[in-house]
Amino acid sequence: MRRRFYMGANLERAVAISDLRARMHRRLPNFVTEYIEGGAEEELTLRENREIFSRILFRPNTLINAAGVDASTKLFGRPLRLPVVIAPTGSNGLYWHEGDQCLARAAAAFGIPFTQSTVSNARLEDVAALPGVRHWMQLYVFRARAFMEELVARADAAGSEALVVTVDAAAFGNREWDRRNYGRDMDPTLANKLDVLRRPHWMANVLARGLPTFANVADKIPPAERTYKRTASWTREQMDLAFDWSDIALLRRIWPRRLIIKGLVTADDAARAADAGADGVVLSNHGGRQLDGMVSGVATLPEVRRRVGDDFTILVDGGFRRGTDIVKALALGADAVMVGRATLYGLAAAGEAGVMRALAILEQEVLRTMALLGRLTVADLGLDCLAARSDPLDGLAVLPAERGVRSLARPSHGLAEQLAEQREGIGSI
């Protein structure tokens, strides 16, 4: 019998993120689906973000009483039901009406933070004011520095818990498959316009209400030009190649709460971020949408952890679709992961209820994976429960640790060697 993903409306029958993704493909027009799914150029980075997980394997302990397995943890001193943060994504109103609010409400109900993008379709003040939301604000540093400072002041006044500064978008990525959907002035091609007619549910939910605008930057555009296309073009024009560490220093001076730098992957940059006063980093290649052929943040995670130590917060994103992916990242040294596409698939499939289903699926998978590994808490996860299929992390400086303990003391060599040493009882601490 031919295998098929479930694409129906009964969310309880969506047993994996891939089912929500399949429903999204059924519901959204092609040019909107491509915006979510696509990457830069040959999409090498996009594929690597998923493939690296297949090269990292588990080494479980058995006969462990796992009745009390618990995936909760703390991040910046506050409790998390699941070590997940919803990542910043733009144009969420294209997938579902008031998409940003749907994501934020689901995050609040689930007890995790929601990160709102500078180029979201809702005012940051409106989202931050939603009941129970842990609001993080993502910031692009545009050429108009006064506007940047204005956004920071607005996030401060709104009580945002953290400011997440994206540093890997000084130039806009070359997303060729996305560009092929448009003619002049970001106008969808005729084929894409005809495809919209095949999506009546999307038309009723989104198009009939008018295309969303980028509410946080709209007042920088003349009133007569505040269309979706013109505002999107303005944000691309504002990308600033002159953005550097001096801008991080400025943000640290004017932002009073948690400062997180997103979009770096090297240990040197992470250490410099810590020295600059950042409270944490997100190891990220922008979901494969910026520099093609780039390393995954997961691959550099052990090296970064060794360099910055245990007291500095590390998040990672890129390709997370399964609870097993999340557990692998935690075992490699992450404090939590950011998920973007996984929750967008839920949003595009069924709005807020779809986001809740996506988070529930991930939680169930994390708990199941931890139980099968014989690790009852997040603190129990360490390198000793992993093995490398073909040493994708070769040469990274990290020592095999006791369960839940990260080590900074030994010289570097490949992960496969380190795990092999541990199995043979060599180099124990």
Side-chain angles (χ1 to χ4, degrees):
M1 184 175 70
R2 182 180 176 185
R3 289 179 166 181
R4 296 179 183 274
F5 293 115
Y6 177 73
M7 295 183 284
N10 183 356
L11 293 177
E12 291 302 314
R13 292 188 60 192
V15 299
I17 298 297
S18 53
D19 291 317
L20 298 173
R21 181 175 182 247
R23 180 165 172 79
M24 176 200 74
H25 278 261
R26 181 179 184 179
R27 184 180 168 274
L28 294 187
N30 176 71
F31 78 97
V32 180
T33 300
E34 182 60 55
Y35 182 75
I36 294 181
E37 295 279 51
E41 297 181 354
E42 299 293 326
E43 299 187 332
L44 300 173
T45 304
L46 187 71
R47 291 193 294 275
E48 175 63 11
N49 283 350
R50 286 298 303 141
E51 290 170 1
I52 190 168
F53 291 113
S54 70
R55 303 197 300 271
I56 303 171
L57 307 180
F58 289 121
R59 298 175 59 244
N61 293 117
T62 57
L63 296 174
I64 304 294
N65 183 346
V69 64
D70 181 4
S72 67
T73 185
K74 286 189 175 182
L75 187 64
F76 296 124
R78 297 187 59 181
L80 285 181
R81 171 175 163 179
L82 185 69
V84 164
V85 175
I86 295 186
T89 52
S91 301
N92 296 330
L94 272 184
Y95 318 136
W96 196 274
H97 180 61
E98 295 189 342
D100 293 288
Q101 292 91 329
C102 291
L103 287 160
R105 285 193 296 264
F110 216 81
I112 62 173
F114 166 68
T115 315
Q116 184 176 0
S117 172
T118 294
V119 291
S120 67
N121 299 128
R123 294 177 70 251
L124 71 91
E125 292 86 353
D126 295 338
V127 177
L130 292 172
V133 69
R134 289 182 62 179
H135 187 261
W136 292 12
M137 186 63 199
Q138 179 269 341
L139 180 71
Y140 284 119
V141 180
F142 293 147
R143 291 202 305 267
R145 292 298 196 267
F147 173 58
M148 175 193 78
E149 294 185 35
E150 176 187 322
L151 268 179
V152 172
R154 288 172 57 192
D156 185 13
S160 299
E161 177 183 324
L163 187 71
V164 181
V165 187
T166 296
V167 299
D168 60 357
F172 196 78
N174 183 21
R175 302 162 197 174
E176 295 171 350
W177 285 107
D178 187 38
R179 291 167 56 193
R180 288 184 176 106
N181 288 311
Y182 300 92
R184 296 180 59 184
D185 301 322
M186 290 189 65
D187 191 34
T189 63
L190 177 60
N192 277 288
K193 290 177 179 177
L194 293 174
D195 180 64
V196 169
L197 300 177
R198 300 173 54 239
R199 318 291 176 170
H201 296 291
W202 180 83
M203 291 175 66
N205 180 265
V206 174
L207 197 59
R209 305 170 193 256
L211 288 178
T213 60
F214 298 98
N216 289 310
V217 302
D219 61 354
K220 301 303 172 185
I221 310 296
E225 300 180 26
R226 289 178 188 172
T227 63
Y228 181 88
K229 292 188 292 184
R230 177 66 192 100
T231 313
S233 296
W234 181 86
T235 60
R236 295 185 185 192
E237 294 162 3
Q238 284 295 312
M239 298 298 181
D240 190 3
L241 289 171
F243 177 40
D244 62 18
W245 285 101
S246 65
D247 293 294
I248 298 298
L250 168 64
L251 289 169
R252 181 67 286 179
R253 288 195 299 271
I254 65 176
W255 176 251
R257 289 184 286 282
R258 301 293 185 181
L259 179 66
I260 302 167
I261 300 179
K262 178 179 181 291
L264 43 78
V265 293
T266 70
D268 285 346
D269 279 348
R272 188 163 186 180
D275 291 341
D279 297 288
V281 296
V282 184
L283 304 181
S284 172
N285 55 34
H286 214 103
R289 295 162 70 81
Q290 287 294 98
L291 177 62
D292 202 24
M294 186 175 172
V295 68
S296 162
V298 171
T300 64
L301 176 53
E303 180 186 13
V304 173
R305 174 54 72 193
R306 177 181 181 273
R307 182 70 172 273
V308 300
D310 288 352
D311 295 332
F312 189 69
T313 298
I314 301 175
L315 294 89
V316 62
D317 72 8
F320 288 89
R321 304 287 187 275
R322 287 281 188 182
T324 49
D325 305 334
I326 294 170
V327 171
K328 288 174 183 179
L330 297 173
L332 288 169
D335 293 291
V337 306
M338 277 192 167
V339 295
R341 288 184 177 94
T343 43
L344 289 184
Y345 296 154
L347 175 68
E352 182 179 341
V355 181
M356 287 294 292
R357 183 58 184 159
L359 292 171
I361 288 169
L362 292 175
E363 181 181 49
Q364 292 162 8
E365 291 180 345
V366 167
L367 290 169
R368 183 184 304 115
T369 302
M370 291 174 62
L372 291 172
L373 274 174
R375 307 301 163 99
L376 303 189
T377 70
V378 171
D380 291 336
L381 297 170
L383 283 177
D384 59 326
C385 66
L386 299 180
R389 172 171 290 166
S390 58
D391 204 7
L393 313 185
D394 188 33
L396 300 189
V398 61
L399 175 70
E402 293 178 351
R403 181 180 301 180
V405 178
R406 300 178 181 117
S407 173
L408 311 177
R410 289 282 299 276
S412 67
H413 52 291
L415 180 60
E417 281 183 294
Q418 296 168 48
L419 295 174
E421 283 185 0
Q422 187 176 26
R423 287 193 296 271
E424 296 167 9
I426 299 172
S428 60
I429 58 174

